[in-house]
């Protein structure tokens, strides 16, 4: 009995240590953002507590935040749609070389994001000279790039689920009078929805937090939040950046929790 | 209800013929089983009827109308799958009512129909549960209810009881039988389980290598198997090779290595003297006699072979004897528990001439009629490779 208790305590301590290690940077930033005194460096632990920096967050952060949210949200929806189609094709399609296709859809994950950024920038410049349409430092330009890096996640999560699904389900639906379209909406889609949402969430998070790719595709007047924070930290530190970072972290936790409650990220088909 | 006609169906996968000119006529309300070993084409045939596959040749007709090119969803079918294929995201009531919902039936009607069907399968109170919360047998009953909800014209079943354990399978067989009779729905059933086929079917289409080997009622196929394979696949059978020596008073006289065996002349199989033949007799027709106990064993009505008991096996209702009748060839005999025949004892195996079937001899390792071992190195008889089990009669005795 005693050894049992000791073992459990050791396990708990390891767990706590792991959590502490993961969360402590966030705690430091959040605590430092509450310090109302220091203006030139983060101070931890804070000496005074107040919301001064939250009230002084400059408008450019809000604007950058809205760019980031819009681009990441639209990109994750497009990634989701493309991911479902690609996964259906890879898993269910009777096309030769599905393994090759699968590898093809993983490529964006294997290219360093900096390289992807350079490629997209060059591509957009070339596109502009050829067609005359400006994509660099625009919303569509960001969305296209985010879709590129986000789709592998949706393809991956949806394909993983489709693979475990009995192909008889589609046949059963057809026998019961469903056209292919009805089969998709009444059977396939409801079953893959949790994994689709999980994949879209990955795509969103990757896009929303991205610096290396976005830094090439933004300009001083049109930029995303992580790039803005990055620039601030690099060139002129201001404690408001701590406040913004904390806000984003808190928002992420809340939205993740809500998604978990509403659709469940780990729900697998029974 | 519909009559299903399959005509000259053929299908090849990657250069391999899976089914080869299969024709079958299923009458209204009839229960027909496609029976056969794996790879015989029974499932492919069913999937063509379902519309999941299209045949290379031939056609499928429902009530005389060609549906070969009609998509599955317009064929008005019900189907039960081996892995149930219940929709995991829907509860039982929504699963059962799925076809009605897809066709836009009013909610109240769906509810009523679902209740009736759940009562039919005797699971009235599981409507709000999810498939994963039910046992295999319950899930399969739900799958049957789901397949019947839209009153299909034809019910297809692909090894529906294959995933269930023995006891449950027997109970489900009875249930299936009762439901099918009650509704009188035309049913095509696929299985590799001969007992299931025998107990459920109006007719059995025994398939092998993409062809129908024999089509008939369970009694016909069991009692008068048309080929050695039919005899082998339904029930148990003992084979012995021999050579036709004489035809005498409506009786074939066959010489085997261990003596003469008689078989009745039947109109559907004609042999001429000198033919290599295969003698087949079922274990339940065999009896064990002590040598010399009957003076009468050479009677025209009873066949008799000398043998030695190898072992006896108690399998419940019968005591099974394995008797070596020729070297390397054993007969299985269904005996009664009170027969006393110790392993090693010399006995005589007897059976009625009327219970003997004759087939043309052909090597067929799958059914235990394999490479021939020649006693005298007769050039006409193939040499043995490995353990031969069938020994045709030595030509010297003929």
């Amino acid at each position: 009995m005693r050894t049992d208790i000791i073992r459990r305590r050791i396990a708990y301590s390891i767990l706590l240590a792991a959590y502490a290690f993961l969360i402590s940077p966030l705690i430091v930033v959040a605590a430092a953002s509450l310090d109302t005194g220091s203006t030139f460096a983060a101070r931890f632990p804070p000496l005074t507590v107040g919301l001064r920096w939250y009230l002084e967050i400059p408008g450019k952060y809000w604007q950058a935040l809205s760019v980031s949210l819009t681009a990441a949200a639209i990109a994750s929806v497009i990634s989701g749609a493309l991911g479902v189609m690609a996964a259906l094709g890879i898993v269910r399609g009777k096309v030769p070389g599905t393994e090759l296709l699968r590898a093809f859809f993983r490529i964006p994950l294997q290219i360093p994001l900096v390289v992807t950024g350079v490629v997209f920038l060059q591509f957009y410049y070339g596109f502009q000279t050829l067609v005359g349409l400006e994509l660099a430092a625009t919303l569509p330009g960001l969305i296209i790039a985010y879709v590129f890096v986000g789709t592998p996640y949706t393809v991956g999560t949806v394909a993983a689920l489709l693979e475990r699904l009995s192909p008889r389900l589609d046949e059963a639906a057809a026998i019961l009078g469903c056209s292919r379209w009805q089969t998709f909406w009444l059977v396939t889609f409801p079953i893959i929805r949790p994994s689709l949402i999980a994949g879209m969430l990955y795509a969103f998070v990757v896009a929303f937090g991205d610096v290396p790719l976005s830094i090439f595709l933004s300009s001083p007047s049109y930029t995303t939040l992580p790039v803005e924070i990055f620039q601030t930290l690099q060139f002129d530190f201001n404690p408001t950046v701590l406040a913004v970072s904390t806000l984003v972290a808190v928002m992420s936790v809340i939205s993740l929790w809500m998604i978990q409650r509403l659709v469940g990220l780990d729900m697998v088909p029974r | 209800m519909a009559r299903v006609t399959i005509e000259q169906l053929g299908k090849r996968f990657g250069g391999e013929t899976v089914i080869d000119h299969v024709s079958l006529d299923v009458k209204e309300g009839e229960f027909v089983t496609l029976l056969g070993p794996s790879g015989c084409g029974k499932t492919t045939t069913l999937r063509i009827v379902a519309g999941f596959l299209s045949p290379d040749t031939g056609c499928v007709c429902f009530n005389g109308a060609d549906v070969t090119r009609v998509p599955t969803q317009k064929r008005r079918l019900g189907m039960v799958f081996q892995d149930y294929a219940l929709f995991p995201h829907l509860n039982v009531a929504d699963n059962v009512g799925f076809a009605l919902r897809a066709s836009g039936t009013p909610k109240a009607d769906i509810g009523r129909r679902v209740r009736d069907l759940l009562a039919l399968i005797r699971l009235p109170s599981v409507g709000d549960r999810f498939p994963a919360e039910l046992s295999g047998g319950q899930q399969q009953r739900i799958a049957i209810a789901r397949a019947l909800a839209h009153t299909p014209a034809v019910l297809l079943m692909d090894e529906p009881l294959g995933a269930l354990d023995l006891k449950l399978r027997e109970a489900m067989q009875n249930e299936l039988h009762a439901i099918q009779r009650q509704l009188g729905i035309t049913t095509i059933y696929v299985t590799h389980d001969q007992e299931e086929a025998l107990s459920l079917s109006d007719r059995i289409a025994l398939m092998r290598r993409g062809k129908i080997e024999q089509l008939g009622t369970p009694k016909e196929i069991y009692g008068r198997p048309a080929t050695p394979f039919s005899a082998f696949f339904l029930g148990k059978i003992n084979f012995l090779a021999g050579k036709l020596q004489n035809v005498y008073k409506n009786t074939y006289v066959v010489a085997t290595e261990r003596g003469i065996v008689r078989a009745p002349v039947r109109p559907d199989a004609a042999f001429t003297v000198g033919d290599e033949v295969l003698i087949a007799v079922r274990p339940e027709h065999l009896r064990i006699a002590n040598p010399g106990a009957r003076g009468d064993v050479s009677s025209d009505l009873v066949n008799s072979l000398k043998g030695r008991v190898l072992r006896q096996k108690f399998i419940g209702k019968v005591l099974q004897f394995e008797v070596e009748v020729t070297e390397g060839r054993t007969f299985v005999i269904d005996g009664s528990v009170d027969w006393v025949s110790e392993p090693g004892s010399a006995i005589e195996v007897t059976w009625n001439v009327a219970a003997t079937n004759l087939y043309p001899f052909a090597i067929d390792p799958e059914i235990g009629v394999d490479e021939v071992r020649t006693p005298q190195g007769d050039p006409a008889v193939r040499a043995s490779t490995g353990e031969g089990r069938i020994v045709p009669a030595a030509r010297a005795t003929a």
Side-chain angles (χ1 to χ4, degrees):
Chain A
M1 287 307 274
R2 271 191 63 85
T3 53
D4 249 19
I5 294 168
I6 293 170
R7 201 176 295 163
R8 202 176 307 154
R9 284 197 182 150
I10 293 174
Y12 264 115
S13 331
I14 294 173
L15 192 70
L16 278 178
Y19 267 119
F21 177 75
L22 292 174
I23 293 177
S24 53
L26 210 60
I27 291 173
V28 170
V29 170
S33 75
L34 293 173
D35 184 284
T36 51
S38 160
T39 13
F40 303 109
R43 193 160 63 191
F44 184 81
L47 298 179
T48 51
V49 173
L51 291 178
R52 178 183 163 195
W53 302 120
Y54 287 84
L55 300 172
E56 285 183 18
I57 293 174
K60 60 173 182 177
Y61 286 122
W62 297 120
Q63 204 183 329
L65 178 65
S66 90
V67 169
S68 279
L69 282 177
T70 315
I74 295 175
S76 80
V77 170
I78 298 174
S79 294
L82 290 177
V84 169
M85 290 192 273
L88 280 172
I90 289 172
V91 178
R92 294 280 171 81
K94 293 182 178 79
V95 285
T98 49
E99 263 319 300
L100 217 66
L101 272 179
R102 206 173 275 246
F104 175 77
F105 279 106
R106 274 197 299 266
I107 287 177
L109 297 180
Q110 286 152 355
I111 305 172
L113 286 173
V114 178
V115 177
T116 310
V118 173
V119 167
F120 268 102
L121 188 62
Q122 292 303 319
F123 171 64
Y124 287 170
Y125 284 159
F127 193 75
Q128 194 174 348
T129 37
L130 274 175
V131 186
L133 200 65
E134 191 182 345
L135 284 172
T138 65
L139 186 64
L142 277 177
I143 290 173
I144 293 169
Y146 289 163
V147 167
F148 179 77
V149 293
T151 304
Y153 294 100
T154 54
V155 175
T157 54
V158 175
L161 191 125
L162 277 179
E163 242 153 33
R164 283 183 289 142
L165 219 56
S166 164
R168 304 280 161 269
L169 291 180
D170 283 16
E171 294 178 357
I175 283 279
L176 297 171
C178 283
S179 63
R180 294 217 167 188
W181 189 243
Q182 273 181 307
T183 301
F184 179 78
W185 287 112
L186 292 178
V187 178
T188 316
F189 185 74
I191 293 175
I192 64 175
R193 194 174 53 196
S195 67
L196 172 63
I197 287 171
M200 281 169 60
L201 197 73
Y202 282 128
F204 179 86
V205 167
V206 166
F208 186 73
D210 172 75
V211 172
L213 179 57
S214 312
I215 208 161
F216 290 98
L217 301 177
S218 49
S219 67
S221 59
Y222 193 86
T223 185
T224 66
L225 185 65
V227 173
E228 192 66 62
I229 293 173
F230 179 75
Q231 306 278 23
T232 308
L233 284 174
Q234 204 175 13
F235 301 116
D236 58 321
F237 176 82
N238 182 307
T240 53
V241 80
L242 301 173
V244 168
S245 306
T246 309
L247 272 185
V248 169
V250 170
M251 273 162 44
S252 305
V253 170
I254 292 173
S255 55
L256 268 181
W257 177 77
M258 270 169 46
I259 291 172
Q260 178 94 54
R261 284 298 301 271
L262 288 177
V263 289
L265 291 177
D266 44 14
M267 193 190 107
V268 287
R270 285 178 277 197
Chain B
M1 304 309 111
R3 170 182 164 167
V4 180
T5 317
I6 296 167
E7 267 168 40
Q8 299 290 318
L9 227 47
K11 181 79 185 170
R12 296 167 69 84
F13 285 128
E16 204 173 316
T17 304
V18 181
I19 55 173
D20 190 6
H21 296 98
V22 168
S23 296
L24 181 64
D25 190 13
V26 184
K27 293 190 271 293
E28 269 188 45
E30 198 181 19
F31 192 120
V32 169
T33 298
L34 304 178
L35 174 69
S38 49
C40 71
K42 57 190 191 296
T43 297
T44 305
T45 308
L46 192 76
R47 292 174 64 78
I48 289 174
V49 175
F52 299 147
L53 294 172
S54 55
D56 298 336
T57 62
C59 61
V60 179
C61 298
F62 291 167
N63 282 335
D66 189 341
V67 296
T68 318
R69 305 286 157 210
V70 175
T72 301
Q73 64 264 27
K74 301 218 170 99
R75 291 191 185 190
R76 280 192 62 222
L77 299 169
M79 185 155 179
V80 181
F81 299 86
Q82 180 172 9
D83 63 357
Y84 323 132
L86 293 174
F87 302 120
H89 61 297
L90 299 176
N91 67 20
V92 166
D94 287 344
N95 261 289
V96 174
F98 187 87
L100 301 175
R101 195 153 64 98
S103 67
T105 310
K107 260 208 162 91
D109 295 349
I110 299 180
R112 205 171 318 122
R113 180 85 177 129
V114 167
R115 261 196 310 283
D116 290 351
L117 284 163
L118 290 180
L120 177 73
I121 57 164
R122 297 192 288 109
L123 286 174
S125 56
V126 298
D128 343 309
R129 303 241 224 120
F130 280 87
E133 297 165 359
L134 301 174
S135 72
Q138 288 174 325
Q139 288 189 46
Q140 196 54 295
R141 274 144 77 184
I142 303 299
I144 292 166
R146 183 182 67 174
L148 296 170
H150 53 307
T151 49
V154 181
L155 183 60
L156 308 177
M157 300 209 225
D158 187 7
E159 309 239 2
L161 309 183
L164 304 178
D165 60 49
L166 188 67
K167 280 278 175 230
L168 201 52
R169 216 178 315 166
E170 276 172 17
M172 283 296 295
Q173 273 181 31
N174 296 334
E175 198 140 337
L176 261 182
H177 187 79
I179 291 174
Q180 198 267 340
R181 283 299 125 94
Q182 194 177 331
L183 303 178
I185 186 170
T186 311
T187 304
I188 303 179
Y189 190 97
V190 161
T191 184
H192 63 270
D193 184 320
Q194 41 116 356
E195 276 179 40
E196 223 167 271
L198 288 172
S199 67
L200 285 173
S201 323
D202 292 324
R203 280 192 302 160
I204 296 173
L206 179 63
M207 292 186 71
R208 188 188 197 195
R209 294 175 183 158
K211 289 186 172 159
I212 293 183
E213 183 99 355
Q214 188 173 3
L215 178 67
T217 66
K219 273 185 194 160
E220 278 165 15
I221 298 192
Y222 188 86
R224 293 282 306 118
T227 64
F229 179 77
S230 289
F232 171 82
F233 202 83
L234 272 101
K236 276 193 179 302
I237 195 81
N238 295 300
F239 287 127
L240 186 66
K243 189 170 181 177
L244 189 60
Q245 201 180 37
N246 201 356
V247 186
Y248 167 75
K249 277 205 284 187
N250 260 346
T251 307
Y252 288 124
V253 180
V254 182
T256 74
E257 210 186 36
R258 276 299 165 97
I260 296 298
V261 170
R262 290 176 181 79
V265 174
R266 293 202 168 94
D268 50 342
F271 298 93
T272 51
V273 172
D275 280 356
E276 299 270 9
V277 292
L278 194 62
I279 298 156
V281 56
R282 295 218 183 264
E284 64 265 31
H285 292 136
L286 297 175
R287 293 288 173 270
I288 287 178
N290 292 321
R294 306 172 51 146
D296 196 26
V297 286
S298 59
S299 144
D300 280 0
L301 296 175
V302 178
N303 284 315
S304 168
L305 285 179
K306 286 191 175 56
R308 193 168 55 85
V309 177
L310 283 184
R311 77 188 188 112
Q312 34 178 293
K313 192 163 76 175
F314 180 62
I315 56 163
K317 58 181 185 273
V318 295
L319 190 60
Q320 218 169 53
F321 292 88
E322 263 176 45
V323 176
E324 191 179 49
V325 286
T326 63
E327 204 183 324
R329 181 68 193 169
T330 57
F331 268 21
V332 174
I333 299 167
D334 282 351
S336 113
V337 189
D338 45 298
W339 293 5
V340 190
S341 281
E342 289 310 312
S345 53
I347 49 107
E348 266 178 40
V349 178
T350 64
W351 71 94
N352 277 330
V353 167
T356 316
N357 283 324
L358 275 195
Y359 303 102
F361 183 86
I363 287 172
D364 191 344
E366 266 176 62
I367 64 171
V369 182
D370 34 24
E371 205 72 43
V372 166
R373 181 163 42 182
T374 162
Q376 271 112 29
D378 187 320
V381 184
R382 259 158 283 205
S384 162
T385 61
E387 207 192 43
R389 288 204 279 157
I390 286 286
V391 184
R395 303 209 164 213
T397 61

